[in-house]
């Protein structure tokens, strides 16, 4: 494959960016011309941020899997599409060539069809990081079913909420998943979830851990048995379903400032073009390179930069089942060494945690294959940036610090690796097609450089969110109503003297814990479910490894006799309701919360206390009971 739209120099980038602003339709049409469409578009872009109503490539017809698989078979059929490294380094890795992946996707697409899945149906996927997860995702896309992947760390309750919201009728899962020393019983979690999900008629279970599972007659079938059946049928070919560019491709749930996660919807045409364009450019992928993104496919990073971006580019994408510290903190480096990885894309949390183990696990690993390093998910502190640059990249690999969101579908602000002059801690400059703007609280644009503001985007890009599933109004109020005619990201941002962007973190009630987005309201709702809790308030505080930790202030029903035990109980409750990633790091029992006279919790004050900035609480005179602040300060953990 060649990439005619890959940027080759900084001048190239500047010209492309300029072109994308003066003639966005012409710019994106040029890129889109290099894909396989069954029918080309009538109109490149129609948009209105008020409704919002955004359409890219209207009238075009395609199937994303023909772009990720079929079109590569002639030239790249025998090239590795997916390299899979298991959790246990003693187990054999697997390599799927483009042809093998194509065959497996077609086979499983047949399985889905045999189980009654049709175009437009929603399919929930709850699996560990095994190749079958990517196969399941692509098989859905092949027949026009809408996948909703739920991260393997979410609880039964969270899965049930997501399945109900999307009204899924089929679930694909595994008996269990290996993650480090743990063995997660995925099927049993699904069984619990499905008690509340009558819409689900069928569960397909893939074997991985051989954990004993209960198979419900008439509902549950084994992946392997279903494949055998397709083989008996002689593996009939599965023509890819012809989709409209604006047909839904997938739903992915993400946290916001209100309680319920929302189903971010991405569509076929624009998302494909954007995931591909940003992959090829941000990482400067060269044909034949091995690319390793350490994310889980349960998050947007895995969707765009393990599956759709790399595969649409004919790249070799490495999937890793395990965790960075198993069996020891050198695991990433072993994988780089073993497969001669060229591009590594990971999260600042992982870097900070591995830094903590010193250079022992890095030394004596051959990292000379690395050409490019990427980070995503949260702001990267300078110390971690330099460690990554010097110890992993040996000073010779560019770092691309990529800022983006579930809602943006792909990378928005990031250096073009090796081309954009980098600056530690900065996502640097917008990619072509992206028009960032900083605004103040009133929505007034903050012009010039050396300024801080709320980050918005003022023009559509092909990968952007189209709606929140089943509730378009929610999409409008969350993203398009805070500031008129702008997409609001929820992030604060600095534009420095050079015009470089540095994301400073969320300005809403969303936490970023180890790169995972968690709504404070969600955690509060979970804590409040505990029988002994009257009320709670949750804020973030700086955490050395996780970036942000979760600090919960809890009013208990009666005097807490054994705080340690009650804390554990509350954590267990949060784990049950959301998942272990949302467990508070600190729980402080308080007798009251700082509220205004109208009953609103003043989180600003709690945040300051959690951060340890006690002398700097700001105005507390509007509080109903200022004395409560003193008590909270004294009891701070
Ligand atoms: C944060 C992950 C600083 C940001 C792809 C954003 C970042 C949220 C960066 C989206 C970065 C992501 N620097 N902050 N390079 N990348 N963020 O939806 O607050 O899981 O709004 O998407 O992560 O998280 P999400």
């Amino acid at each position: 494959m060649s990439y005619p739209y890959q940027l080759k120099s900084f001048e190239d980038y500047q010209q492309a960016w300029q072109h994308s602003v003066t003639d966005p339709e012409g710019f994106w049409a040029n890129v889109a011309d290099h894909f396989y469409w069954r029918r080309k578009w009538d109109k490149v872009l129609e948009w209105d941020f008020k409704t919002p109503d955004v359409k890219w490539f209207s009238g075009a017809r395609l199937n994303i899997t023909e772009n990720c698989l079929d079109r590569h078979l002639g030239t790249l059929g025998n090239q590795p599409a997916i390299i899979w490294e298991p959790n246990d380094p003693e187990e054999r890795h697997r390599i799927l060539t483009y042809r093998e992946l194509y065959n497996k996707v077609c086979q499983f697409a047949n399985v889905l069809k045999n189980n009654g899945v049709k175009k437009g149906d929603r399919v929930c996927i709850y699996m560990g990081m095994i190749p079958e997860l990517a196969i399941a995702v692509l098989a859905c896309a092949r027949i026009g079913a809408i996948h909703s992947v739920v991260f393997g760390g979410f609880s039964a309750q969270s899965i049930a909420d997501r399945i109900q919201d999307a009204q899924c009728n089929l679930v694909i899962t595994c008996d269990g998943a290996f993650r480090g020393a743990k063995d997660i019983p995925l099927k049993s979690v699904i069984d619990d979830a499905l008690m509340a999900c009558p819409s689900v008629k069928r569960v397909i279970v893939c074997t991985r851990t051989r954990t004993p599972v209960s198979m419900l007659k008439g509902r549950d079938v084994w992946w392997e048995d279903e494949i055998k059946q397709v083989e008996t049928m002689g593996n009939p070919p599965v023509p890819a379903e012809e989709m409209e560019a604006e047909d839904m491709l997938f739903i992915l749930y993400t946290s916001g400032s209100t309680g319920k996660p929302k189903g971010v919807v991405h569509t076929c045409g624009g998302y494909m073009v954007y995931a591909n364009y940003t992959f090829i450019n941000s990482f400067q992928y060269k044909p034949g390179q091995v690319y390793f993104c350490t994310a889980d496919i349960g998050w947007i990073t895995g969707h765009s930069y393990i599956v759709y971006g790399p595969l649409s580019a004919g790249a070799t994408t490495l999937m890793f089942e395990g965790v960075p510290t198993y069996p020891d903190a050198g695991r990433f480096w072993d994988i780089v060494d073993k497969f001669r990885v060229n591009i590594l894309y990971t999260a600042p949390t992982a870097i900070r945690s591995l830094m903590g183990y010193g250079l022992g696990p890095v030394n004596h690993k051959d990292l000379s294959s690395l050409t490019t390093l990427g980070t995503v998910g949260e702001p990267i502190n300078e110390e971690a940036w330099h460690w990554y640059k010097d110890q992993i990249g040996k000073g010779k690999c560019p770092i691309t610090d990529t800022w983006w969101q579930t809602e943006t579908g792909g990378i928005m602000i990031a250096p073009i690796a090796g081309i954009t002059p980098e600056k530690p801690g900065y996502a640097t400059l917008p990619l072509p097609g992206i028009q960032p703007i900083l605004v103040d609280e009133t929505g007034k644009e903050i012009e010039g450089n050396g300024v801080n503001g709320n980050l918005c985007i003022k023009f559509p890009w092909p990968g952007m969110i189209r709606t929140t599933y089943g509730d378009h109004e929610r999409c409008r109020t969350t993203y398009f109503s805070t500031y008129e005619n702008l997409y609001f990201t929820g992030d604060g941002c600095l534009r420095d003297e050079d015009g470089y962007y540095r994301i400073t973190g969320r300005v809403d009630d969303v936490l970023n814990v180890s790169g995972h987005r968690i709504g404070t309201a969600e955690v509060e709702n979970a804590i409040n479910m505990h029988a002994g809790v009257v009320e709670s308030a949750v804020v973030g505080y700086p955490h050395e490894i996780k970036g942000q930790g979760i600090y919960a202030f809890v009013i208990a029903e009666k005097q807490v006799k054994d705080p340690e035990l009650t804390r554990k109980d509350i954590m267990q409750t949060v784990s049950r309701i959301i998942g272990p990633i949302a467990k508070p790091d600190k729980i402080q029992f308080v007798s009251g919360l700082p509220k205004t006279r109208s009953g609103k919790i003043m989180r600003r004050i709690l945040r300051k206390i959690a951060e340890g900035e006690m002398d700097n609480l700001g105005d507390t005179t509007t509080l109903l009971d200022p004395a409560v602040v003193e008590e909270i300060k004294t009891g701070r953990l």
Side-chain angles (χ1 to χ4, degrees):
M1 264 213 108
S2 67
Y3 311 123
Y5 44 88
Q6 188 168 54
L7 304 164
K8 302 228 158 30
S9 63
F10 195 58
E11 294 68 50
D12 238 14
Y13 157 73
Q14 287 171 314
Q15 269 172 18
W17 192 82
Q18 210 52 52
H19 180 197
S20 78
V21 172
T22 48
D23 175 20
E25 295 196 36
F27 175 83
W28 287 111
N30 283 348
V31 176
D33 263 335
H34 297 282
F35 291 77
Y36 175 66
W37 304 87
R38 296 272 189 96
R39 180 185 188 277
K40 286 249 172 115
W41 48 91
D42 301 316
K43 183 94 185 82
V44 176
L45 171 65
E46 292 154 281
W47 70 289
D48 159 25
F49 273 0
K50 284 209 166 57
T51 327
D53 183 14
V54 175
K55 292 193 183 77
W56 282 92
F57 311 113
S58 270
R61 301 186 140 260
L62 77 153
N63 186 289
I64 195 167
T65 70
E66 288 186 327
N67 285 275
C68 290
L69 300 170
D70 306 53
R71 70 164 167 160
H72 304 317
L73 294 180
T75 47
L76 301 172
N78 298 324
Q79 291 276 321
I82 295 180
I83 299 178
W84 176 73
E85 169 71 6
N87 181 59
D88 177 355
E90 302 295 319
E91 189 182 338
R92 247 198 97 66
H93 65 269
R94 285 168 66 188
I95 293 179
L96 296 177
T97 64
Y98 269 95
R99 174 150 309 276
E100 286 164 338
L101 180 61
Y102 166 83
N103 287 337
K104 286 190 184 292
V105 169
C106 288
Q107 249 185 354
F108 195 66
N110 262 321
V111 167
L112 292 176
K113 282 184 153 181
N114 287 345
N115 283 282
V117 181
K118 296 180 303 300
K119 176 176 179 175
D121 286 353
R122 275 83 53 218
V123 172
C124 171
I125 303 180
Y126 183 70
M127 299 171 83
M129 282 286 286
I130 55 175
E132 284 67 23
L133 167 52
I135 292 166
V137 162
L138 291 164
C140 286
R142 188 136 187 111
I143 64 169
I146 299 160
H147 55 77
S148 165
V149 183
V150 177
F151 171 62
F154 278 118
S155 71
Q157 176 72 50
S158 296
I159 301 164
D161 291 345
R162 285 157 174 76
I163 289 178
Q164 287 165 356
D165 187 75
Q167 284 296 297
C168 298
N169 38 31
L170 186 137
V171 174
I172 310 170
T173 189
C174 297
D175 48 0
F178 294 124
R179 268 180 76 77
K182 282 191 238 143
D183 175 343
I184 302 155
L186 297 179
K187 173 60 165 64
S188 124
V189 179
I190 285 291
D191 289 337
D192 289 347
L194 293 191
M195 296 212 271
C197 302
S199 64
V200 174
K201 302 291 183 252
R202 181 70 82 223
V203 180
I204 302 179
V205 187
C206 183
T207 310
R208 172 63 186 132
T209 54
R210 308 215 166 257
T211 311
V213 298
S214 97
M215 296 291 280
L216 199 68
K217 194 182 284 170
R219 189 194 69 183
D220 302 349
V221 295
W222 289 104
W223 173 299
E224 295 76 12
D225 291 346
E226 295 299 296
I227 293 286
K228 273 198 204 104
Q229 209 169 326
V230 170
E231 280 168 353
T232 323
M233 290 159 56
N235 284 319
V238 190
E241 188 76 34
E242 191 170 292
M243 307 294 282
E244 297 275 348
E246 283 297 336
D247 278 343
M248 282 187 204
L249 174 64
F250 66 84
I251 307 170
L252 188 58
Y253 285 84
T254 191
S255 297
S257 24
T258 52
K260 212 173 121 225
K262 27 180 193 285
V264 172
V265 170
H266 286 289
T267 58
C268 298
Y271 173 81
M272 168 182 78
V273 170
Y274 198 67
N276 175 284
Y277 182 83
T278 51
F279 170 73
I280 284 173
N281 283 300
S282 313
F283 302 108
Q284 288 288 300
Y285 183 83
K286 301 288 181 300
Q289 285 189 322
V290 176
Y291 159 88
F292 174 21
C293 166
T294 70
D296 190 289
I297 293 179
W299 309 110
I300 190 69
T301 306
H303 281 61
S304 302
Y305 300 112
I306 294 179
V307 181
Y308 289 116
L311 295 178
S312 66
T316 297
T317 176
L318 196 153
M319 247 179 109
F320 172 43
E321 184 182 32
V323 296
T325 48
Y326 182 82
D328 60 52
R331 191 66 193 280
F332 279 180
W333 324 128
D334 287 331
I335 296 174
V336 169
D337 192 340
K338 177 171 174 187
F339 296 105
R340 311 298 301 147
V341 169
N342 304 110
I343 302 172
L344 176 69
Y345 190 28
T346 193
T349 291
I351 299 168
R352 284 192 297 263
S353 123
L354 296 177
M355 261 171 76
Y357 291 87
L359 290 176
V362 183
N363 289 339
H364 313 298
K365 305 286 162 70
D366 183 357
L367 305 182
S368 62
S369 56
L370 288 172
T371 62
T372 306
L373 304 173
T375 73
V376 60
E378 41 174 335
I380 182 165
N381 48 311
E382 285 200 29
E383 195 192 352
W385 193 96
H386 284 293
W387 190 82
Y388 200 31
K389 180 92 183 171
D390 298 337
Q391 305 305 338
I392 305 307
K394 312 294 177 197
K396 70 175 176 58
C397 299
I399 292 184
T400 179
D401 172 359
T402 64
W403 171 81
W404 58 295
Q405 310 178 294
T406 305
E407 295 85 346
T408 69
I411 298 168
M412 301 286 281
I413 304 182
I416 309 293
I419 286 179
T420 308
E422 56 197 22
K423 200 184 271 191
Y426 282 76
T428 72
L429 298 171
L431 294 195
I434 305 309
Q435 302 186 35
I437 160 173
L438 300 185
V439 298
D440 65 15
E441 295 300 325
T442 65
K444 212 169 125 270
E445 176 165 7
I446 303 172
E447 287 175 272
N449 288 341
V451 291
N452 255 302
N454 289 346
L455 177 62
C456 294
I457 313 290
K458 66 177 175 195
F459 195 85
W461 63 101
M464 72 183 291
I465 180 175
R466 298 299 196 272
T467 188
T468 44
Y469 191 82
D471 192 352
H472 193 63
E473 177 60 10
R474 190 155 180 222
C475 174
R476 190 187 70 79
T477 51
T478 313
Y479 306 105
F480 297 92
S481 72
T482 317
Y483 305 113
E484 204 180 338
N485 275 322
L486 297 175
Y487 165 80
F488 176 43
T489 64
D491 280 319
C493 182
L494 159 79
R495 185 168 52 221
D496 78 355
E497 296 302 339
D498 298 325
Y500 267 38
Y501 291 86
R502 177 193 184 116
I503 311 302
T504 48
R506 302 289 304 196
V507 294
D508 53 7
D509 290 322
V510 172
L511 306 179
N512 192 329
V513 181
S514 302
H516 300 321
R517 253 167 89 166
I518 300 170
T520 51
E522 253 177 287
V523 183
E524 288 164 7
N525 290 346
I527 294 176
N528 298 348
M529 295 290 279
H530 186 279
V533 171
V534 178
E535 198 182 359
S536 63
V538 163
V539 297
Y541 71 97
H543 187 288
E544 213 179 314
I545 303 225
K546 299 177 174 185
Q548 262 189 319
I550 302 179
Y551 197 123
F553 298 90
V554 173
I555 306 178
E557 206 164 66
K558 35 185 199 289
Q559 183 72 28
V560 179
K561 290 212 187 65
D562 184 344
E564 254 337 285
L565 187 65
T566 313
R567 277 192 190 107
K568 282 201 183 115
D569 284 353
I570 292 175
M571 293 204 190
Q572 184 64 19
T573 308
V574 175
S575 234
R576 294 277 303 180
I577 292 176
I578 307 176
I581 55 171
K583 270 201 283 198
D585 297 275
K586 294 184 180 178
I587 298 177
Q588 180 182 347
F589 295 104
V590 296
S591 66
L593 292 166
K595 289 191 179 172
T596 60
R597 282 187 187 95
S598 58
K600 245 185 97 190
I601 298 175
M602 290 192 75
R603 282 163 196 291
R604 175 176 56 81
I605 293 175
L606 293 175
R607 226 174 277 135
K608 290 270 186 228
I609 295 176
E611 285 167 3
E613 288 188 34
M614 319 266 247
D615 305 329
N616 181 14
L617 294 185
D619 184 13
T620 55
T621 53
T622 54
L623 286 180
L624 187 62
D625 175 15
V628 67
V629 175
E630 290 313 310
E631 180 216 303
I632 298 176
K633 274 164 69 174
T634 321
R636 178 177 177 268
L637 300 171

